[in-house]
Amino acid sequence: MKYTNPLEFNDPFDCHPFYNDSLEEIRRGTSHAIERALGTPVTPAERKLSPAQRGQYRNRAARALKAKIHSDEWRSGVLRDVGVVSLSSNPADILMWSHYADFHKGFVVGFRIGVEGLVAEDLKKHGFHLLPYKVEYTSKRPMVNLGSDSKSDQMKKILLTKSEHWKYEAEQRVIDIDRGPGIHAYDRDRTLNCVIAGMRMSDGDFEVLKQAVADLNEFPTLAHVKLFRAKASRTNFEVEIPGFPH
């Protein structure tokens, strides 16, 4: 499975929130934010500064952070080690087929994602088990408050908030910061569920796909994988998938 770095996304606003750059807010920032701003770690000696010295240090760090916070360098630093798999909860959207499945000539891979049988250690491996987070859509760019937002709130604003123009994608994202961008293994036996051929797929390509699914079915752990073929609705602007469970 390919995990894409957000810096390569086609939407320039994706994973690109607005940062609250008021010095008052930045001063509330954590040591991690200060380290990133100054480019050097906070040493034990600096942590033992007097209140007055600590205030001066934070003011200097806040000004440095304010100067960097809207730069490409800052954004690259935040997103450099992030890998994302973008999934959709709607396998029948016309635009999704047109944009991402070779104009309906390609195919869609369906996953069955759940936490049944997973233990606590497994849940930490979001990437391997394809455990997704739901993307939220809004008309305004989110504002990140480095000083007062929790880490989970910052992640939601940076990685899981998009313009409402993309709402049709019904996107859910698998985020992997441990392995980062690249081609990584996933829990295929547990999650691979079906394959859906596009309505414009040639008969020759469909036979190749059909054989590929049949080969998978030879494995006991993948015997459940089914093949469907999409078609155009006769009466509506809709993609129909006969036999597909909704």
Side-chain angles (χ1 to χ4, degrees):
M1 184 72 69
K2 181 182 179 181
Y3 286 76
T4 302
N5 185 268
L7 295 171
E8 300 176 12
F9 287 170
N10 59 357
D11 176 11
F13 294 97
D14 200 347
C15 299
H16 198 175
F18 175 76
Y19 286 87
N20 184 346
D21 60 3
S22 72
L23 289 176
E24 181 180 356
E25 175 62 33
I26 293 175
R27 286 191 189 97
R28 301 193 188 104
T30 63
S31 295
H32 179 66
I34 292 174
E35 290 172 3
R36 185 183 298 162
L38 298 180
T40 57
V42 177
T43 65
E46 288 168 329
R47 290 192 176 95
K48 296 179 181 179
L49 295 174
S50 68
Q53 292 173 322
R54 191 178 299 116
Q56 293 176 351
Y57 179 80
R58 281 194 169 271
N59 286 336
R60 181 166 61 90
R63 288 192 295 271
L65 183 53
K66 182 180 176 67
K68 285 187 176 184
I69 204 170
H70 299 301
S71 68
D72 289 338
E73 178 186 1
W74 170 269
R75 185 169 183 245
S76 296
V78 171
L79 300 175
R80 179 180 55 240
D81 299 322
V82 178
V84 176
V85 172
S86 294
L87 307 175
S88 173
S89 60
N90 183 6
D93 187 88
I94 295 175
L95 291 177
M96 292 292 284
W97 277 98
S98 298
H99 294 162
Y100 302 111
D102 195 21
F103 309 106
H104 297 258
K105 292 180 290 186
F107 62 90
V108 164
V109 177
F111 301 103
R112 177 181 57 195
I113 298 173
V115 296
E116 298 84 0
L118 297 181
V119 298
E121 190 62 29
D122 292 328
L123 296 177
K124 296 178 182 178
K125 302 175 182 177
H126 283 79
F128 180 71
H129 295 292
L130 294 187
L131 300 177
Y133 297 94
K134 190 174 182 179
V135 171
E136 293 190 2
Y137 301 93
T138 179
S139 60
K140 294 183 178 180
R141 291 173 71 178
M143 182 172 69
V144 174
N145 301 293
L146 290 174
S148 55
D149 285 346
S150 66
K151 288 185 178 180
S152 61
D153 285 340
Q154 289 186 36
M155 184 191 79
K156 183 176 180 181
K157 291 178 179 181
I158 296 171
L159 297 173
L160 300 172
T161 305
K162 294 181 66 174
S163 165
E164 60 185 9
H165 292 87
W166 300 95
K167 192 173 184 178
Y168 72 91
E169 292 187 334
E171 186 177 354
Q172 297 189 29
R173 288 181 167 175
V174 181
I175 299 170
D176 196 323
I177 59 176
D178 295 320
R179 297 181 298 179
I183 307 295
H184 304 304
Y186 76 100
D187 191 0
R188 185 180 68 170
D189 290 359
R190 180 189 292 270
T191 58
L192 184 58
N193 187 51
C194 68
V195 180
I196 307 170
M199 67 174 72
R200 286 180 170 177
M201 177 177 283
S202 69
D203 291 339
D205 284 348
F206 183 74
E207 288 303 314
V208 172
L209 189 61
K210 185 177 179 180
Q211 184 59 53
V213 174
D215 291 343
L216 284 179
N217 292 155
E218 294 296 320
F219 296 92
T221 54
L222 295 169
H224 63 277
V225 178
K226 294 182 179 181
L227 175 63
F228 301 94
R229 194 169 191 176
K231 70 174 187 178
S233 169
R234 288 188 175 185
T235 57
N236 300 314
F237 292 118
E238 294 178 358
V239 172
E240 295 181 350
I241 308 173
F244 185 82
H246 293 283

